[in-house]
Amino acid sequence: MKKILNIVLVLTLFSLVFGGCSKFLEEDLRDQIAVDNFFNNDQEALLAVNGLYRILHRPSMYRTRGLDNYYVNGADEVGPSRNVNGEIHNYLINEGVADGDANWAACYEIVRNASLYITNLEGNEKISEEIRNQALGESLFIRALAYFHLTNLWGDVPYFRELLPLDELGSLERYPKDEIRADMKEDLGRAFELLPGTSSGSDLGRATKWAAATLKAKFHLFDKEWAATKTECDRIINDSPHQLLGDFAAVFDQTNPSDQYNDEQIFVVDFTTDGVFGDSGTSRTDDYNPRLRDEPKNRNNRPDGPGTPTRWELLQADLQAIDQDMSGFGWAIPLPELADQSNWDPDDLRYDATIVREYLGYELQFPYFRKNWNLNNTSPRSNHNENYVVFRLADIYLMAAEAENEMNGPGNAYPYVNKVRERAFEPDKPWSGMSQQQFREAMYDERKFELCAEGWRRMDLIRWGILLDVVKNVQHRPWNNPASNIQSYHVLLPVPQDEILLNPNLLNNDPTNNGYR
């Protein structure tokens, strides 16, 4: 396999992976260091693990639309503002066509490097117990995160936990997803014990035990292991320092680069403008930011008569007056039904914090996700400093509610979902009096309104078994037609064509390649 085989045993990756994406990545490696000469002290152990975080900053992961291509697009929340990204959104995916090869490569680079680090960290008495535990815990967590994405997107995938010889790596068959996930749950249980409970100062952005518990809960949820899901969620809710913020909009406030963390965030990928490396900032925000060439509505109209400024010139001047700009790509905008406030409860405060259709007094041509945009010029195009929030506490409450309902019905599930709804409604609108099925179906919408455009919707629809029905019935814009193309096998991606060409054994257990042949 091309990407798995791309091993550089002289760790030139260290010169690539340590840099200014997160506060703890702002260290400079002075030389290239071979594996045999590494892991001799605490600093080297942390530098190695920083390399795993660095891969999370790749465009194929969290930096740009990377993972969002397959977690956000192709559902009922997000679509492009024009005829772009059609292969993915319109389900024109095939071997060699939007098959996620870059995502596959990045995930296996994490697996490969993390496995190497774990081997070198285990029992290494050159490293202090505290740092050894932290580095091991982080390596276990980030490797599990990679296998989470691999098994979500491709199902059965090649699997290894120790770095294998090149010929073995290059001939691996696909391994049962359920067995991979079982191992990852065990690893995350161990990571929970090893990792610290909090991070602060220069360690902000590093994984804590609560990140490990959340990822473990996600594995259990996706595998419909309701009791285990509930156990992990309760542990996070009851024992972690994380709390729901009182203001929904504040959860996503990224306007102050020096104050971008909050108590609701459990794990984030931290991007920094103008870091040491050119990809230190994120360009994902640009997908959610408007293009001024599109805005506002009736942009060429001159409201004050002939010879006076157009509406777009007036909007630009008003933006510049508050040091803002609309310099994004506009690729990721709400689909019409989500943007229509009549499809939300009229008292749901999350609508205005999530969707924007008017700005600075100008009606916009398209709706946008207010929760994901940032127009400040201090966060420039393709170099934004926002945190990508991977896990947050409100999701944990909703997961606990769903698990409790599936086990025992809604009676004891109400307090979890109502805790999230307390800040969402004024006056409060708690749930009550539902059957188990009514609660289950209400959760379909509750997770959409609370978590939309955060990377969970498509996998939620898949695990509920309703992706095809939803995609076929939701309204899309004229340039998109996913309803005409989506098939049952689209719940997974095909194993990338380049990988199959190098390793035909990937088809041994499934000659159909997830139904694409």
PDB file of all heavy atoms in Angstrom, residues 21-25 53 57 134 138 198-208 242 257-263 265-272 387:
ATOM      1  N   CYS A  21       1.169  25.077  15.146  1.00  0.00           N
ATOM      2  CA  CYS A  21      -0.271  24.942  15.020  1.00  0.00           C
ATOM      3  C   CYS A  21      -0.954  25.064  16.362  1.00  0.00           C
ATOM      4  O   CYS A  21      -1.996  25.659  16.477  1.00  0.00           O
ATOM      5  CB  CYS A  21      -0.622  23.608  14.377  1.00  0.00           C
ATOM      6  SG  CYS A  21      -0.329  23.617  12.605  1.00  0.00           S
ATOM      7  N   SER A  22      -0.427  24.439  17.392  1.00  0.00           N
ATOM      8  CA  SER A  22      -0.960  24.571  18.735  1.00  0.00           C
ATOM      9  C   SER A  22       0.126  25.147  19.617  1.00  0.00           C
ATOM     10  O   SER A  22       1.305  25.132  19.273  1.00  0.00           O
ATOM     11  CB  SER A  22      -1.412  23.211  19.264  1.00  0.00           C
ATOM     12  OG  SER A  22      -2.613  22.815  18.668  1.00  0.00           O
ATOM     13  N   LYS A  23      -0.286  25.610  20.759  1.00  0.00           N
ATOM     14  CA  LYS A  23       0.687  26.247  21.646  1.00  0.00           C
ATOM     15  C   LYS A  23       1.841  25.304  21.966  1.00  0.00           C
ATOM     16  O   LYS A  23       2.990  25.696  22.052  1.00  0.00           O
ATOM     17  CB  LYS A  23      -0.025  26.706  22.916  1.00  0.00           C
ATOM     18  CG  LYS A  23      -1.058  27.803  22.649  1.00  0.00           C
ATOM     19  CD  LYS A  23      -1.864  28.117  23.871  1.00  0.00           C
ATOM     20  CE  LYS A  23      -2.888  29.218  23.591  1.00  0.00           C
ATOM     21  NZ  LYS A  23      -3.843  28.836  22.562  1.00  0.00           N
ATOM     22  N   PHE A  24       1.529  24.024  22.185  1.00  0.00           N
ATOM     23  CA  PHE A  24       2.577  23.081  22.537  1.00  0.00           C
ATOM     24  C   PHE A  24       3.342  22.587  21.323  1.00  0.00           C
ATOM     25  O   PHE A  24       4.252  21.778  21.448  1.00  0.00           O
ATOM     26  CB  PHE A  24       1.985  21.895  23.304  1.00  0.00           C
ATOM     27  CG  PHE A  24       0.927  21.140  22.541  1.00  0.00           C
ATOM     28  CD1 PHE A  24       1.268  20.101  21.696  1.00  0.00           C
ATOM     29  CD2 PHE A  24      -0.408  21.480  22.677  1.00  0.00           C
ATOM     30  CE1 PHE A  24       0.301  19.414  20.997  1.00  0.00           C
ATOM     31  CE2 PHE A  24      -1.374  20.793  21.973  1.00  0.00           C
ATOM     32  CZ  PHE A  24      -1.020  19.759  21.141  1.00  0.00           C
ATOM     33  N   LEU A  25       2.974  23.049  20.111  1.00  0.00           N
ATOM     34  CA  LEU A  25       3.702  22.662  18.910  1.00  0.00           C
ATOM     35  C   LEU A  25       4.699  23.732  18.484  1.00  0.00           C
ATOM     36  O   LEU A  25       5.323  23.621  17.443  1.00  0.00           O
ATOM     37  CB  LEU A  25       2.733  22.407  17.755  1.00  0.00           C
ATOM     38  CG  LEU A  25       1.753  21.257  17.945  1.00  0.00           C
ATOM     39  CD1 LEU A  25       0.888  21.108  16.705  1.00  0.00           C
ATOM     40  CD2 LEU A  25       2.479  19.962  18.224  1.00  0.00           C
ATOM     41  N   TYR A  53      -0.132  15.137  16.682  1.00  0.00           N
ATOM     42  CA  TYR A  53      -1.034  16.287  16.617  1.00  0.00           C
ATOM     43  C   TYR A  53      -0.851  17.036  15.298  1.00  0.00           C
ATOM     44  O   TYR A  53      -1.827  17.532  14.715  1.00  0.00           O
ATOM     45  CB  TYR A  53      -0.772  17.240  17.789  1.00  0.00           C
ATOM     46  CG  TYR A  53      -1.243  16.743  19.119  1.00  0.00           C
ATOM     47  CD1 TYR A  53      -0.350  16.148  20.014  1.00  0.00           C
ATOM     48  CD2 TYR A  53      -2.567  16.880  19.513  1.00  0.00           C
ATOM     49  CE1 TYR A  53      -0.768  15.710  21.266  1.00  0.00           C
ATOM     50  CE2 TYR A  53      -3.000  16.439  20.763  1.00  0.00           C
ATOM     51  CZ  TYR A  53      -2.103  15.855  21.622  1.00  0.00           C
ATOM     52  OH  TYR A  53      -2.516  15.419  22.858  1.00  0.00           O
ATOM     53  N   HIS A  57      -3.532  18.419  11.751  1.00  0.00           N
ATOM     54  CA  HIS A  57      -3.627  19.722  11.106  1.00  0.00           C
ATOM     55  C   HIS A  57      -3.541  19.633   9.585  1.00  0.00           C
ATOM     56  O   HIS A  57      -3.557  20.669   8.915  1.00  0.00           O
ATOM     57  CB  HIS A  57      -2.533  20.651  11.633  1.00  0.00           C
ATOM     58  CG  HIS A  57      -2.711  21.050  13.070  1.00  0.00           C
ATOM     59  ND1 HIS A  57      -2.399  20.219  14.116  1.00  0.00           N
ATOM     60  CD2 HIS A  57      -3.178  22.188  13.634  1.00  0.00           C
ATOM     61  CE1 HIS A  57      -2.663  20.837  15.257  1.00  0.00           C
ATOM     62  NE2 HIS A  57      -3.131  22.032  14.998  1.00  0.00           N
ATOM     63  N   GLN A 134       1.833  10.408  29.963  1.00  0.00           N
ATOM     64  CA  GLN A 134       1.146  11.361  29.096  1.00  0.00           C
ATOM     65  C   GLN A 134       1.364  11.013  27.629  1.00  0.00           C
ATOM     66  O   GLN A 134       0.415  10.978  26.835  1.00  0.00           O
ATOM     67  CB  GLN A 134       1.642  12.784  29.362  1.00  0.00           C
ATOM     68  CG  GLN A 134       1.024  13.827  28.440  1.00  0.00           C
ATOM     69  CD  GLN A 134       1.554  15.231  28.703  1.00  0.00           C
ATOM     70  OE1 GLN A 134       1.904  15.559  29.830  1.00  0.00           O
ATOM     71  NE2 GLN A 134       1.617  16.052  27.661  1.00  0.00           N
ATOM     72  N   GLU A 138      -1.546   9.888  25.049  1.00  0.00           N
ATOM     73  CA  GLU A 138      -1.841  10.663  23.848  1.00  0.00           C
ATOM     74  C   GLU A 138      -1.681   9.816  22.594  1.00  0.00           C
ATOM     75  O   GLU A 138      -2.488   9.907  21.657  1.00  0.00           O
ATOM     76  CB  GLU A 138      -0.935  11.889  23.789  1.00  0.00           C
ATOM     77  CG  GLU A 138      -1.275  12.934  24.846  1.00  0.00           C
ATOM     78  CD  GLU A 138      -0.305  14.102  24.841  1.00  0.00           C
ATOM     79  OE1 GLU A 138       0.903  13.873  25.026  1.00  0.00           O
ATOM     80  OE2 GLU A 138      -0.773  15.242  24.650  1.00  0.00           O
ATOM     81  N   THR A 198      -6.861  17.539  33.229  1.00  0.00           N
ATOM     82  CA  THR A 198      -7.004  18.901  32.724  1.00  0.00           C
ATOM     83  C   THR A 198      -5.751  19.286  31.955  1.00  0.00           C
ATOM     84  O   THR A 198      -4.707  18.640  32.074  1.00  0.00           O
ATOM     85  CB  THR A 198      -7.200  19.909  33.874  1.00  0.00           C
ATOM     86  OG1 THR A 198      -6.056  19.867  34.738  1.00  0.00           O
ATOM     87  CG2 THR A 198      -8.462  19.601  34.669  1.00  0.00           C
ATOM     88  N   SER A 199      -5.879  20.340  31.180  1.00  0.00           N
ATOM     89  CA  SER A 199      -4.722  20.952  30.529  1.00  0.00           C
ATOM     90  C   SER A 199      -4.855  22.456  30.668  1.00  0.00           C
ATOM     91  O   SER A 199      -5.961  22.986  30.750  1.00  0.00           O
ATOM     92  CB  SER A 199      -4.642  20.556  29.053  1.00  0.00           C
ATOM     93  OG  SER A 199      -5.772  21.044  28.343  1.00  0.00           O
ATOM     94  N   SER A 200      -3.717  23.135  30.681  1.00  0.00           N
ATOM     95  CA  SER A 200      -3.752  24.587  30.839  1.00  0.00           C
ATOM     96  C   SER A 200      -2.479  25.175  30.277  1.00  0.00           C
ATOM     97  O   SER A 200      -1.526  24.456  29.953  1.00  0.00           O
ATOM     98  CB  SER A 200      -3.901  24.973  32.318  1.00  0.00           C
ATOM     99  OG  SER A 200      -2.796  24.491  33.068  1.00  0.00           O
ATOM    100  N   GLY A 201      -2.470  26.486  30.136  1.00  0.00           N
ATOM    101  CA  GLY A 201      -1.282  27.179  29.673  1.00  0.00           C
ATOM    102  C   GLY A 201      -0.788  26.654  28.343  1.00  0.00           C
ATOM    103  O   GLY A 201      -1.551  26.513  27.385  1.00  0.00           O
ATOM    104  N   SER A 202       0.485  26.309  28.263  1.00  0.00           N
ATOM    105  CA  SER A 202       1.071  25.851  27.008  1.00  0.00           C
ATOM    106  C   SER A 202       0.595  24.467  26.601  1.00  0.00           C
ATOM    107  O   SER A 202       0.840  24.032  25.469  1.00  0.00           O
ATOM    108  CB  SER A 202       2.599  25.853  27.119  1.00  0.00           C
ATOM    109  OG  SER A 202       3.024  24.942  28.121  1.00  0.00           O
ATOM    110  N   ASP A 203      -0.097  23.751  27.498  1.00  0.00           N
ATOM    111  CA  ASP A 203      -0.609  22.420  27.165  1.00  0.00           C
ATOM    112  C   ASP A 203      -2.034  22.450  26.639  1.00  0.00           C
ATOM    113  O   ASP A 203      -2.596  21.389  26.326  1.00  0.00           O
ATOM    114  CB  ASP A 203      -0.560  21.508  28.403  1.00  0.00           C
ATOM    115  CG  ASP A 203       0.843  21.015  28.694  1.00  0.00           C
ATOM    116  OD1 ASP A 203       1.678  21.007  27.770  1.00  0.00           O
ATOM    117  OD2 ASP A 203       1.111  20.644  29.856  1.00  0.00           O
ATOM    118  N   LEU A 204      -2.634  23.616  26.548  1.00  0.00           N
ATOM    119  CA  LEU A 204      -3.988  23.687  25.996  1.00  0.00           C
ATOM    120  C   LEU A 204      -4.010  23.074  24.597  1.00  0.00           C
ATOM    121  O   LEU A 204      -3.173  23.373  23.754  1.00  0.00           O
ATOM    122  CB  LEU A 204      -4.462  25.144  25.932  1.00  0.00           C
ATOM    123  CG  LEU A 204      -4.950  25.756  27.244  1.00  0.00           C
ATOM    124  CD1 LEU A 204      -5.179  27.254  27.070  1.00  0.00           C
ATOM    125  CD2 LEU A 204      -6.222  25.072  27.733  1.00  0.00           C
ATOM    126  N   GLY A 205      -4.981  22.220  24.366  1.00  0.00           N
ATOM    127  CA  GLY A 205      -5.083  21.531  23.089  1.00  0.00           C
ATOM    128  C   GLY A 205      -4.617  20.098  23.147  1.00  0.00           C
ATOM    129  O   GLY A 205      -4.919  19.313  22.246  1.00  0.00           O
ATOM    130  N   ARG A 206      -3.876  19.728  24.196  1.00  0.00           N
ATOM    131  CA  ARG A 206      -3.481  18.332  24.352  1.00  0.00           C
ATOM    132  C   ARG A 206      -4.675  17.522  24.865  1.00  0.00           C
ATOM    133  O   ARG A 206      -5.551  18.041  25.565  1.00  0.00           O
ATOM    134  CB  ARG A 206      -2.314  18.196  25.329  1.00  0.00           C
ATOM    135  CG  ARG A 206      -1.077  18.999  24.977  1.00  0.00           C
ATOM    136  CD  ARG A 206       0.134  18.519  25.734  1.00  0.00           C
ATOM    137  NE  ARG A 206       0.763  17.414  25.014  1.00  0.00           N
ATOM    138  CZ  ARG A 206       1.825  17.555  24.212  1.00  0.00           C
ATOM    139  NH1 ARG A 206       2.362  18.742  24.024  1.00  0.00           N
ATOM    140  NH2 ARG A 206       2.325  16.504  23.599  1.00  0.00           N
ATOM    141  N   ALA A 207      -4.700  16.256  24.524  1.00  0.00           N
ATOM    142  CA  ALA A 207      -5.785  15.386  24.959  1.00  0.00           C
ATOM    143  C   ALA A 207      -5.721  15.148  26.463  1.00  0.00           C
ATOM    144  O   ALA A 207      -4.644  14.972  27.036  1.00  0.00           O
ATOM    145  CB  ALA A 207      -5.717  14.055  24.214  1.00  0.00           C
ATOM    146  N   THR A 208      -6.873  15.132  27.097  1.00  0.00           N
ATOM    147  CA  THR A 208      -7.003  14.760  28.496  1.00  0.00           C
ATOM    148  C   THR A 208      -7.729  13.421  28.587  1.00  0.00           C
ATOM    149  O   THR A 208      -8.190  12.878  27.585  1.00  0.00           O
ATOM    150  CB  THR A 208      -7.799  15.809  29.278  1.00  0.00           C
ATOM    151  OG1 THR A 208      -9.161  15.805  28.781  1.00  0.00           O
ATOM    152  CG2 THR A 208      -7.197  17.204  29.112  1.00  0.00           C
ATOM    153  N   HIS A 242     -15.650  19.766  32.782  1.00  0.00           N
ATOM    154  CA  HIS A 242     -16.356  20.424  31.688  1.00  0.00           C
ATOM    155  C   HIS A 242     -17.794  20.745  32.075  1.00  0.00           C
ATOM    156  O   HIS A 242     -18.463  19.971  32.763  1.00  0.00           O
ATOM    157  CB  HIS A 242     -16.315  19.543  30.440  1.00  0.00           C
ATOM    158  CG  HIS A 242     -14.918  19.313  29.946  1.00  0.00           C
ATOM    159  ND1 HIS A 242     -14.200  20.276  29.289  1.00  0.00           N
ATOM    160  CD2 HIS A 242     -14.097  18.231  30.056  1.00  0.00           C
ATOM    161  CE1 HIS A 242     -12.994  19.801  28.989  1.00  0.00           C
ATOM    162  NE2 HIS A 242     -12.908  18.568  29.452  1.00  0.00           N
ATOM    163  N   PRO A 257      -8.380  35.595  19.616  1.00  0.00           N
ATOM    164  CA  PRO A 257      -7.410  34.495  19.507  1.00  0.00           C
ATOM    165  C   PRO A 257      -6.775  34.089  20.833  1.00  0.00           C
ATOM    166  O   PRO A 257      -6.287  32.972  20.974  1.00  0.00           O
ATOM    167  CB  PRO A 257      -6.348  35.042  18.545  1.00  0.00           C
ATOM    168  CG  PRO A 257      -7.053  36.104  17.763  1.00  0.00           C
ATOM    169  CD  PRO A 257      -8.033  36.716  18.722  1.00  0.00           C
ATOM    170  N   SER A 258      -6.773  34.982  21.816  1.00  0.00           N
ATOM    171  CA  SER A 258      -6.159  34.659  23.104  1.00  0.00           C
ATOM    172  C   SER A 258      -7.145  34.012  24.074  1.00  0.00           C
ATOM    173  O   SER A 258      -6.769  33.640  25.191  1.00  0.00           O
ATOM    174  CB  SER A 258      -5.586  35.930  23.752  1.00  0.00           C
ATOM    175  OG  SER A 258      -6.628  36.837  24.083  1.00  0.00           O
ATOM    176  N   ASP A 259      -8.389  33.846  23.650  1.00  0.00           N
ATOM    177  CA  ASP A 259      -9.410  33.300  24.546  1.00  0.00           C
ATOM    178  C   ASP A 259     -10.366  32.422  23.742  1.00  0.00           C
ATOM    179  O   ASP A 259     -11.554  32.692  23.660  1.00  0.00           O
ATOM    180  CB  ASP A 259     -10.162  34.441  25.242  1.00  0.00           C
ATOM    181  CG  ASP A 259     -11.132  33.937  26.298  1.00  0.00           C
ATOM    182  OD1 ASP A 259     -10.908  32.828  26.830  1.00  0.00           O
ATOM    183  OD2 ASP A 259     -12.121  34.643  26.587  1.00  0.00           O
ATOM    184  N   GLN A 260      -9.829  31.348  23.160  1.00  0.00           N
ATOM    185  CA  GLN A 260     -10.634  30.511  22.271  1.00  0.00           C
ATOM    186  C   GLN A 260     -11.060  29.190  22.894  1.00  0.00           C
ATOM    187  O   GLN A 260     -11.790  28.430  22.274  1.00  0.00           O
ATOM    188  CB  GLN A 260      -9.860  30.246  20.981  1.00  0.00           C
ATOM    189  CG  GLN A 260      -9.682  31.503  20.138  1.00  0.00           C
ATOM    190  CD  GLN A 260      -8.881  31.243  18.874  1.00  0.00           C
ATOM    191  OE1 GLN A 260      -7.766  30.745  18.926  1.00  0.00           O
ATOM    192  NE2 GLN A 260      -9.451  31.581  17.743  1.00  0.00           N
ATOM    193  N   TYR A 261     -10.620  28.915  24.094  1.00  0.00           N
ATOM    194  CA  TYR A 261     -11.025  27.700  24.785  1.00  0.00           C
ATOM    195  C   TYR A 261     -12.141  28.035  25.765  1.00  0.00           C
ATOM    196  O   TYR A 261     -12.186  29.125  26.330  1.00  0.00           O
ATOM    197  CB  TYR A 261      -9.846  27.088  25.544  1.00  0.00           C
ATOM    198  CG  TYR A 261      -8.782  26.483  24.645  1.00  0.00           C
ATOM    199  CD1 TYR A 261      -7.766  27.277  24.126  1.00  0.00           C
ATOM    200  CD2 TYR A 261      -8.808  25.142  24.320  1.00  0.00           C
ATOM    201  CE1 TYR A 261      -6.784  26.736  23.309  1.00  0.00           C
ATOM    202  CE2 TYR A 261      -7.833  24.586  23.495  1.00  0.00           C
ATOM    203  CZ  TYR A 261      -6.829  25.391  22.992  1.00  0.00           C
ATOM    204  OH  TYR A 261      -5.872  24.850  22.174  1.00  0.00           O
ATOM    205  N   ASN A 262     -13.040  27.082  25.981  1.00  0.00           N
ATOM    206  CA  ASN A 262     -14.065  27.279  26.991  1.00  0.00           C
ATOM    207  C   ASN A 262     -14.382  25.944  27.650  1.00  0.00           C
ATOM    208  O   ASN A 262     -13.933  24.880  27.207  1.00  0.00           O
ATOM    209  CB  ASN A 262     -15.322  27.935  26.401  1.00  0.00           C
ATOM    210  CG  ASN A 262     -15.971  27.120  25.299  1.00  0.00           C
ATOM    211  OD1 ASN A 262     -16.431  26.002  25.538  1.00  0.00           O
ATOM    212  ND2 ASN A 262     -16.024  27.673  24.083  1.00  0.00           N
ATOM    213  N   ASP A 263     -15.184  26.012  28.709  1.00  0.00           N
ATOM    214  CA  ASP A 263     -15.421  24.835  29.552  1.00  0.00           C
ATOM    215  C   ASP A 263     -16.219  23.742  28.857  1.00  0.00           C
ATOM    216  O   ASP A 263     -16.226  22.601  29.328  1.00  0.00           O
ATOM    217  CB  ASP A 263     -16.160  25.253  30.830  1.00  0.00           C
ATOM    218  CG  ASP A 263     -15.285  26.026  31.802  1.00  0.00           C
ATOM    219  OD1 ASP A 263     -14.047  25.960  31.647  1.00  0.00           O
ATOM    220  OD2 ASP A 263     -15.829  26.699  32.693  1.00  0.00           O
ATOM    221  N   GLN A 265     -15.747  22.728  25.689  1.00  0.00           N
ATOM    222  CA  GLN A 265     -14.901  21.999  24.745  1.00  0.00           C
ATOM    223  C   GLN A 265     -14.134  20.887  25.469  1.00  0.00           C
ATOM    224  O   GLN A 265     -13.477  21.136  26.477  1.00  0.00           O
ATOM    225  CB  GLN A 265     -13.900  22.950  24.094  1.00  0.00           C
ATOM    226  CG  GLN A 265     -14.543  24.061  23.287  1.00  0.00           C
ATOM    227  CD  GLN A 265     -13.537  25.121  22.869  1.00  0.00           C
ATOM    228  OE1 GLN A 265     -12.373  25.085  23.256  1.00  0.00           O
ATOM    229  NE2 GLN A 265     -13.990  26.086  22.087  1.00  0.00           N
ATOM    230  N   ILE A 266     -14.213  19.680  24.924  1.00  0.00           N
ATOM    231  CA  ILE A 266     -13.504  18.535  25.502  1.00  0.00           C
ATOM    232  C   ILE A 266     -12.229  18.241  24.731  1.00  0.00           C
ATOM    233  O   ILE A 266     -11.195  17.922  25.316  1.00  0.00           O
ATOM    234  CB  ILE A 266     -14.422  17.305  25.547  1.00  0.00           C
ATOM    235  CG1 ILE A 266     -15.633  17.586  26.444  1.00  0.00           C
ATOM    236  CG2 ILE A 266     -13.671  16.066  26.032  1.00  0.00           C
ATOM    237  CD1 ILE A 266     -16.678  16.486  26.432  1.00  0.00           C
ATOM    238  N   PHE A 267     -12.286  18.344  23.408  1.00  0.00           N
ATOM    239  CA  PHE A 267     -11.084  18.180  22.599  1.00  0.00           C
ATOM    240  C   PHE A 267     -11.221  19.028  21.354  1.00  0.00           C
ATOM    241  O   PHE A 267     -12.264  19.008  20.690  1.00  0.00           O
ATOM    242  CB  PHE A 267     -10.865  16.717  22.205  1.00  0.00           C
ATOM    243  CG  PHE A 267      -9.605  16.503  21.395  1.00  0.00           C
ATOM    244  CD1 PHE A 267      -8.361  16.696  21.967  1.00  0.00           C
ATOM    245  CD2 PHE A 267      -9.675  16.149  20.059  1.00  0.00           C
ATOM    246  CE1 PHE A 267      -7.193  16.525  21.223  1.00  0.00           C
ATOM    247  CE2 PHE A 267      -8.515  15.970  19.304  1.00  0.00           C
ATOM    248  CZ  PHE A 267      -7.275  16.159  19.882  1.00  0.00           C
ATOM    249  N   VAL A 268     -10.165  19.784  21.054  1.00  0.00           N
ATOM    250  CA  VAL A 268     -10.149  20.635  19.871  1.00  0.00           C
ATOM    251  C   VAL A 268      -8.844  20.424  19.122  1.00  0.00           C
ATOM    252  O   VAL A 268      -7.854  19.957  19.684  1.00  0.00           O
ATOM    253  CB  VAL A 268     -10.302  22.136  20.222  1.00  0.00           C
ATOM    254  CG1 VAL A 268     -11.509  22.380  21.113  1.00  0.00           C
ATOM    255  CG2 VAL A 268      -9.021  22.672  20.873  1.00  0.00           C
ATOM    256  N   VAL A 269      -8.853  20.761  17.839  1.00  0.00           N
ATOM    257  CA  VAL A 269      -7.618  20.892  17.069  1.00  0.00           C
ATOM    258  C   VAL A 269      -7.372  22.383  16.933  1.00  0.00           C
ATOM    259  O   VAL A 269      -8.184  23.110  16.356  1.00  0.00           O
ATOM    260  CB  VAL A 269      -7.727  20.216  15.693  1.00  0.00           C
ATOM    261  CG1 VAL A 269      -6.438  20.399  14.906  1.00  0.00           C
ATOM    262  CG2 VAL A 269      -8.033  18.732  15.869  1.00  0.00           C
ATOM    263  N   ASP A 270      -6.267  22.831  17.490  1.00  0.00           N
ATOM    264  CA  ASP A 270      -5.989  24.252  17.684  1.00  0.00           C
ATOM    265  C   ASP A 270      -5.131  24.772  16.527  1.00  0.00           C
ATOM    266  O   ASP A 270      -4.005  24.321  16.330  1.00  0.00           O
ATOM    267  CB  ASP A 270      -5.255  24.410  19.015  1.00  0.00           C
ATOM    268  CG  ASP A 270      -4.859  25.849  19.343  1.00  0.00           C
ATOM    269  OD1 ASP A 270      -4.965  26.707  18.460  1.00  0.00           O
ATOM    270  OD2 ASP A 270      -4.435  26.090  20.479  1.00  0.00           O
ATOM    271  N   PHE A 271      -5.687  25.726  15.776  1.00  0.00           N
ATOM    272  CA  PHE A 271      -4.950  26.344  14.670  1.00  0.00           C
ATOM    273  C   PHE A 271      -4.510  27.743  15.061  1.00  0.00           C
ATOM    274  O   PHE A 271      -5.214  28.443  15.798  1.00  0.00           O
ATOM    275  CB  PHE A 271      -5.819  26.392  13.415  1.00  0.00           C
ATOM    276  CG  PHE A 271      -6.075  25.045  12.821  1.00  0.00           C
ATOM    277  CD1 PHE A 271      -7.207  24.309  13.174  1.00  0.00           C
ATOM    278  CD2 PHE A 271      -5.194  24.481  11.914  1.00  0.00           C
ATOM    279  CE1 PHE A 271      -7.445  23.059  12.647  1.00  0.00           C
ATOM    280  CE2 PHE A 271      -5.418  23.235  11.373  1.00  0.00           C
ATOM    281  CZ  PHE A 271      -6.546  22.513  11.741  1.00  0.00           C
ATOM    282  N   THR A 272      -3.351  28.156  14.521  1.00  0.00           N
ATOM    283  CA  THR A 272      -2.747  29.432  14.899  1.00  0.00           C
ATOM    284  C   THR A 272      -2.338  30.204  13.650  1.00  0.00           C
ATOM    285  O   THR A 272      -1.626  29.675  12.801  1.00  0.00           O
ATOM    286  CB  THR A 272      -1.507  29.210  15.776  1.00  0.00           C
ATOM    287  OG1 THR A 272      -1.887  28.450  16.929  1.00  0.00           O
ATOM    288  CG2 THR A 272      -0.904  30.526  16.220  1.00  0.00           C
ATOM    289  N   ASN A 387     -10.165  27.227  16.640  1.00  0.00           N
ATOM    290  CA  ASN A 387     -10.147  25.843  17.086  1.00  0.00           C
ATOM    291  C   ASN A 387     -11.220  25.057  16.340  1.00  0.00           C
ATOM    292  O   ASN A 387     -12.354  25.523  16.212  1.00  0.00           O
ATOM    293  CB  ASN A 387     -10.459  25.748  18.579  1.00  0.00           C
ATOM    294  CG  ASN A 387      -9.356  26.328  19.444  1.00  0.00           C
ATOM    295  OD1 ASN A 387      -8.260  26.577  18.975  1.00  0.00           O
ATOM    296  ND2 ASN A 387      -9.656  26.533  20.713  1.00  0.00           N
TER     297      ASN A 387
END
